[in-house]
Amino acid sequence: MTAVLAGIGSAVPDGGAEQDELWDGFFSRHFAGNRIARRLFESAGVRRRSVVANPLHEDVSGWTTGARMHRYAQVAPELGARAVAAALDDAAIPADEAGMFAVATCTGYATPGVDIRIAAELGMRDDVQRLLIGHMGCYAAVPALGGGADFVIARGRTAVVLCLELTSLHLQPSTADTDQIVSHALFGDAAVAVVLRPARPRTGELALADVTARTDPGTTGHMTWDITDAGFRMGLSPAVPDVLGEHLVPVVDGLLARNGLSRRDVHGWAVHPGGPRILDTAENALQLGPSALVRSREVLAQHGNCSSATLPLIVERMVRCGEAGSGNLVALAFGPGLTLYAALLRAGS
């Protein structure tokens, strides 16, 4: 018995804008006088982003954290419910069959949380077990799926995992800090849900086979996500790709080896696009072909970096394109710590 990915669904906010529009209409003024800001926006690999707080229409950079959390509580449940409903429909499983509902988010909090509100709205049972995975950042999808899979295997019941991020609510006041410019050039909003059921994977289906992690405690200051009086503030060192490059090969090869595999046995790669340099680093370190990360680059271009929701967006795209069920797939995500998470998904035959 394994945890099979029975369904996947996503939702993005209605408000979206092209990268050029965001620069010309807002960020060129927001970062006025900074000579490298435009170059960073142009080189981010992002063409379009969907956001709940579109700076072309409202500037939230001066909002208090309380005001930002109030907006999160207003809009997050609807977006998350759309993604979960789509995933349940894709799996042809009713909401009341869910035994666990896990939500990963690092961009907003409320109590009672979005998990309670979404579960009630969609008709999940009142005894559904809920799990909130908070403030882990971009890699949170992997431990969330791992926890859901453990529940599925241990309990023999269905689990629903939702990654929900509204990064646009954390637009920071104007600054000359390069890490802030980079983060504002990259991040977007999205919600993605995955339904896991207990079964043996059929042909074309993926099962979560294994998860591994590596944290480098000596580089904890390289990537941070700090709660401030003006929302959550990203700290991002330019050394991040180099540090990740040191750990990618041993982590990936170790995960594959303990499952009797090598990189030659991997037919698909879903790599979190923390930015173009991250993807280049993964491609070079793992000696991947030029087309291996095409879906990761597409998601970055069309959605930006949506924190924990980004990796499931890539997996969804691979599933829809018929690329995920042809063999072994490795999913990689990175975040504060510095932490690297990797998952092995195996296709049925």
Side-chain angles (χ1 to χ4, degrees), residues 2-4 32 47 68 98 105 137 235 264 288:
T2 60
V4 172
R47 293 198 303 268
R68 299 171 198 243
T105 184
R264 293 189 301 272
L288 305 180

Side-chain angles (χ1 to χ4, degrees), residues 27-44:
F27 286 106
S28 60
R29 298 191 308 275
H30 194 64
F31 296 122
N34 191 307
R35 292 179 294 178
I36 67 169
R38 184 183 183 94
R39 178 166 57 83
L40 291 172
F41 266 70
E42 291 175 344
S43 63

Side-chain angles (χ1 to χ4, degrees), residues 25 34 58 115 138 182 231 265:
N34 191 307
E58 60 177 343
D115 52 337
C138 295
V182 171
D265 301 309

Side-chain angles (χ1 to χ4, degrees), residues 38-219:
R38 184 183 183 94
R39 178 166 57 83
L40 291 172
F41 266 70
E42 291 175 344
S43 63
V46 180
R47 293 198 303 268
R48 179 176 177 80
R49 288 178 276 169
S50 297
V51 291
V52 298
N54 190 330
L56 299 177
H57 306 305
E58 60 177 343
D59 181 0
V60 303
S61 64
W63 286 18
T64 65
T65 301
R68 299 171 198 243
M69 294 302 94
H70 180 70
R71 173 68 70 84
Y72 179 93
Q74 285 181 316
V75 301
E78 186 273 337
L79 189 69
R82 282 168 48 197
V84 173
L88 289 167
D89 184 64
D90 188 45
I93 292 175
D96 62 5
E97 283 192 17
M100 169 182 274
F101 180 35
V103 178
T105 184
C106 69
T107 49
Y109 303 102
T111 303
V114 295
D115 52 337
I116 292 177
R117 294 175 61 182
I118 292 171
E121 178 180 341
L122 296 182
M124 293 184 185
R125 293 167 54 95
D126 59 9
D127 62 353
V128 65
Q129 296 185 37
R130 292 175 291 101
L131 178 65
L132 180 65
I133 300 163
H135 232 75
M136 294 188 83
C138 295
Y139 62 79
V142 182
L145 289 169
D150 289 346
F151 173 87
V152 168
I153 294 170
R155 307 294 184 187
R157 299 185 63 191
T158 296
V160 179
V161 176
L162 170 66
C163 296
L164 170 61
E165 304 291 7
L166 305 182
T167 68
S168 65
L169 294 178
H170 300 288
L171 176 65
Q172 293 295 291
S174 180
T175 176
D177 291 347
T178 301
D179 56 352
Q180 292 304 297
I181 299 171
V182 171
S183 65
H184 289 330
L186 284 172
F187 281 90
D189 301 345
V192 188
V194 176
V195 177
L196 300 168
R197 65 176 175 84
R200 294 190 180 278
R202 299 187 293 264
T203 300
E205 286 186 326
L206 285 172
L208 185 61
D210 202 356
V211 170
T212 192
R214 175 76 56 84
T215 297
D216 186 338
T219 59

Side-chain angles (χ1 to χ4, degrees), residues 2 14 21 30 62 122 128 134 144 163 166 173 191 214 234 251 262 300 302 327 349:
T2 60
D14 295 331
E21 293 176 329
H30 194 64
L122 296 182
V128 65
C163 296
L166 305 182
R214 175 76 56 84
M234 183 78 180
V251 168
S262 70
L300 177 63
Q302 297 173 17
S349 59

Side-chain angles (χ1 to χ4, degrees), residues 217-298:
T219 59
T220 54
H222 281 24
M223 190 182 297
T224 57
W225 189 230
D226 297 319
I227 299 175
T228 76
D229 293 335
F232 303 168
R233 186 180 189 279
M234 183 78 180
L236 189 62
S237 167
V240 168
D242 294 334
V243 174
L244 291 175
E246 296 176 8
H247 298 294
L248 276 166
V249 169
V251 168
V252 170
D253 286 356
L255 171 68
L256 294 171
R258 74 189 190 202
N259 287 277
L261 303 170
S262 70
R263 273 179 269 162
R264 293 189 301 272
D265 301 309
V266 178
H267 299 86
W269 296 87
V271 178
H272 172 72
R277 282 190 62 205
I278 295 290
L279 294 179
D280 291 344
T281 297
E283 192 174 79
N284 293 331
L286 296 170
Q287 299 179 322
L288 305 180
S291 63
L293 302 186
V294 63
R295 302 306 176 197
S296 296
R297 297 186 192 278
E298 286 176 355

